[in-house]
Structure formats: C-alpha cells, structure tokens
C-alpha cells in the first residue's frame, strides 16, 4: 500500500488541485466495471486504491488496466503506465478510509450493497462521497444501513465501459445532500465524464430505461417473426443509431422538422406515433423467446471473434469521441 508520504507527493498534490481536493479514488470491486473505472482515473493522473476480496483479484486488475486504453482527450498515457499509482487491498473499509472519493462496483444485490455501504460509511472520512456504479438500484436503498453519513451516498452509474463512454448518471437518494451531488457532478466533469443528474429515483435510472424500451420492442419483433436479430441490429446500427451517436432523440427530432422544428414534427407525426405506441409489443422472456434471441445472435455473429469485435468497436469509439470533442455540439 502507498504511504501517507506517497499520497502527499507532488503528483498527488497536482491532481488534488485539478480535481477540487480529490487526489485518490477508492475502487471497490474490480470486475469489468471496476477495472475500467481504475484505468480511467489512472489515466487522468489520479491515485487509485482498489479493493476486492476475491482470490487473484489484484493480478487480474493489473492485467486488465494494462490492456485498457482510455479515451485520449485529457488523459496521459504516462500516468496510466505507472503501476505505483495503483495500490490494492482486500479490505474495502481500508480503501475507503484512504480515499477522497469512493466508486463502488460490487454485485447488484441489495443485501450485498447495504452491508458493503455500511462498512464504507463507517470507514470513510466525513465529506467523502460514496458513489455506487449500480445500474438500477436506488441510493435510498443502498444507504439504508449507513449510520454515520448517509447524506453522502449516491448513485454514480457509468455507461459501460467507463474508460471510454463519457456518460455518468448521478442519482441522489432521499437523504443525499446537494453538496454531495454537486461534488460528484464537479468531480466527474473534471475527469472528463459527461454527468447528468437524474431527478427522481426509478429502477434502471435513465439510460438503461431508454435501452430497455428499445429492447422490449426489438424482442417483440423477433418473437412475432417481423424481423431477425441481424435485421434489427442493422436497422439501428445503420439507421437511427448513427444519428443518436451525434445528437440525442429530441435534438434529432427537432432537426427532422426542418424550419418548424420539433413543433412541426409533433403536429404532423404525433397522431401516427401514438398509434405506433398502442401497437408496440409486450413480450415476456420465455425460454422459447430467450432461445430464439440467443440463436439469432449466434447466427448473426457466426465466425466473428468476440474479443476482436469488441476491440474494433472500441477503436471506432475512440475515433467518434475524438471527432465529437472537436465538434460544436450541444
């Protein structure tokens, strides 16, 4: 583990100035999301103390971090390449006690989250934000067993993989203070993320609910034999998905209305859209539908190496994000 002297080194002091007093981040849980977060924070010049009780977790984490290539804008490969910036412990409380910000990435189970956050809350210094990467749980539930400072618990849900995708959904709980929310939003912005505040706790937060709405109809279309898995992927990847990668659904809809903008679209396409809504499917993930979806993906991607496909996707994400960084987009 790093000593207090290491933590107060010149490099750490520089990071503290840049990131409003946050120089060391605790990564609690070092699976796919935790490793991606660690790579991102390291590339931004921050110290990372990671915690995971699983056997071999440190070796896997260091290998994963070495293999990841964070989004280049604002990152420094020299920082990411320094293994001394990454320390490890099996004890989550030890990591939280040494950190200026905690990013938790444990299993998506209420009992595990509540017990873990109770320990983090008891160990972390007052004022240190405890953020969960939970993809759908509420901060109010996660903080239920926190007795020291539940007001600093919130959801900081990244979009996978965090070392590439900028989005972070910040979702406060019933007891979360505005100070904790403002700290999280400022910190995520400072480290190159694109945070948004979700103003109500809902299962799945915001982006996952939007995804789920699309999946619901996609699964229904496959179930009804309207289209194959490959057809649907092509329809999105070579149709609206291209526009969605540049601007969101409302801005794109506004542009499609010409001079009249979204008001024109709603006036002329609103009634047909409502009719489409009424005709959308309501599928259930029966064993039969699940088998159909799995078989469809297997057929569509037959002969394509999974790892190679992910690498090609991520390479294009780098190009797209670099282009977006140079563009004047809302």
């Amino acid at each position: 583990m790093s000593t207090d002297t290491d933590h107060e080194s010149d490099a750490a002091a520089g990071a503290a100035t840049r990131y409003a007093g946050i120089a060391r981040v605790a990564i609690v849980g070092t699976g796919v999301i935790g490793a991606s977060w660690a790579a991102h924070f390291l590339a931004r010049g921050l110290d990372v103390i990671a915690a995971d009780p699983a056997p071999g977790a440190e070796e896997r984490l260091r290998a994963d971090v070495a293999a990841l290539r964070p989004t280049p804008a604002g990152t420094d490969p020299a920082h990411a390449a320094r293994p001394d910036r990454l320390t490890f412990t099996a004890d989550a409380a030890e990591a939280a006690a040494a950190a200026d910000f905690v990013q938790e990435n444990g299993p998506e189970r209420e009992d595990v989250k509540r017990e873990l956050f109770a320990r983090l809350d008891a160990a972390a210094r007052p004022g240190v934000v405890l953020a969960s990467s939970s993809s759908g749980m509420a901060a109010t539930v996660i903080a239920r067993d926190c007795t020291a400072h539940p007001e600093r618990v919130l959801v900081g849900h990244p979009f996978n993989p965090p070392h590439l995708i900028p989005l972070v959904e910040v979702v406060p709980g019933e007891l979360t203070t505005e100070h904790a929310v403002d700290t999280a939003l400022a910190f995520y912005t400072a480290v190159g993320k694109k945070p948004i505040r979700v103003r109500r706790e809902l299962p799945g937060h915001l982006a996952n609910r939007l995804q789920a709405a699309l999946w619901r109809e996609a699964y229904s279309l496959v179930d009804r034999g309207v289209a194959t898995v490959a057809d649907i992927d092509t329809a999105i990847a070579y149709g609206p998905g291209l526009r969605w990668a540049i601007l969101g659904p409302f801005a794109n809809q506004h542009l499609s209305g010409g001079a009249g903008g979204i008001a024109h679209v709603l006036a002329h396409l609103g009634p047909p859209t409502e009719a489409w809504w009424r005709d959308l499917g309501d599928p259930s993930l029966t064993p039969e539908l699940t088998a159909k979806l799995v078989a469809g993906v297997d057929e569509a991607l037959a002969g394509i190496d999974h790892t190679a496909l992910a690498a090609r996707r991520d390479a294009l994400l780098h190009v797209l994000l670099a282009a977006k960084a140079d563009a004047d987009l809302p």
Side-chain angles (χ1 to χ4, degrees):
M1 285 197 49
S2 296
T3 65
D4 289 341
T5 301
D6 292 332
H7 186 42
E8 294 170 0
S9 65
D10 290 342
T17 300
R18 185 177 179 187
Y19 301 128
I22 297 173
R24 176 182 282 172
V25 179
I27 298 294
V28 178
T30 60
V32 173
I33 300 299
S36 183
W37 266 126
H40 179 79
F41 290 136
L42 287 166
R44 291 278 166 170
L46 289 159
D47 291 334
V48 170
I49 178 167
D52 197 314
E58 180 176 5
E59 292 74 16
R60 287 192 296 273
L61 173 63
R62 292 190 182 277
D64 289 343
V65 167
L68 296 175
R69 187 164 64 97
T71 305
T75 63
D76 185 344
H79 286 311
R82 285 182 53 186
D84 59 299
R85 302 193 76 92
L86 173 61
T87 55
F88 189 90
T89 174
D91 186 355
E94 181 182 359
D100 306 315
F101 190 94
V102 176
Q103 187 76 44
E104 174 272 338
N105 317 276
E108 197 76 352
R109 286 174 43 193
E110 180 180 334
D111 58 335
V112 174
K113 294 282 193 199
R114 287 174 59 175
E115 189 276 333
L116 178 55
F117 267 80
R119 288 193 285 125
L120 298 175
D121 182 45
R125 300 189 315 275
V128 171
V129 171
L130 306 182
S132 175
S133 294
S134 173
S135 59
M137 292 179 60
T140 297
V141 173
I142 292 171
R144 196 158 284 162
D145 297 327
C146 295
T147 58
H149 296 284
E151 72 279 358
R152 37 82 172 275
V153 176
L154 50 77
V155 167
H157 173 236
F159 219 62
N160 189 33
H163 71 283
L164 291 180
I165 304 296
L167 177 66
V168 180
E169 297 172 313
V170 175
V171 194
E174 292 175 0
L175 299 179
T176 310
T177 63
E178 287 299 309
H179 177 72
V181 173
D182 290 344
T183 298
L185 290 170
F187 174 62
Y188 288 134
T189 300
V191 296
K193 308 304 285 183
K194 193 80 170 179
I196 58 172
R197 176 177 181 164
V198 181
R199 288 163 173 79
R200 281 186 58 194
E201 289 185 297
L202 291 171
H205 315 315
L206 178 62
N208 276 339
R209 291 178 70 92
L210 293 170
Q211 280 197 134
L214 176 62
W215 291 334
R216 179 176 179 170
E217 182 60 13
Y219 294 172
S220 176
L221 293 171
V222 171
D223 194 31
R224 290 186 282 166
V226 175
T228 66
V229 165
D231 291 335
I232 291 171
D233 275 357
T234 298
I236 295 299
Y238 289 90
L242 290 172
R243 296 189 305 199
W244 293 341
I246 309 303
L247 294 170
F250 289 115
N252 273 304
Q253 196 172 33
H254 179 68
L255 292 179
S256 71
I262 193 170
H264 175 78
V265 173
L266 295 177
H268 289 268
L269 292 181
T273 300
E274 290 182 304
W276 300 341
W277 287 342
R278 290 189 290 269
D279 192 54
L280 293 178
D282 186 18
S284 296
L285 280 174
T286 62
E288 294 75 19
L289 176 55
T290 298
K292 191 181 296 186
L293 295 171
V294 171
V297 171
D298 288 344
E299 180 181 354
L301 301 182
I304 300 176
D305 179 75
H306 176 89
T307 302
L309 180 61
R312 293 201 296 270
R313 178 204 63 187
D314 291 351
L316 283 174
L317 278 173
H318 277 284
V319 174
L320 174 61
L321 288 166
K324 284 174 69 76
D326 291 335
D328 185 18
L329 296 171

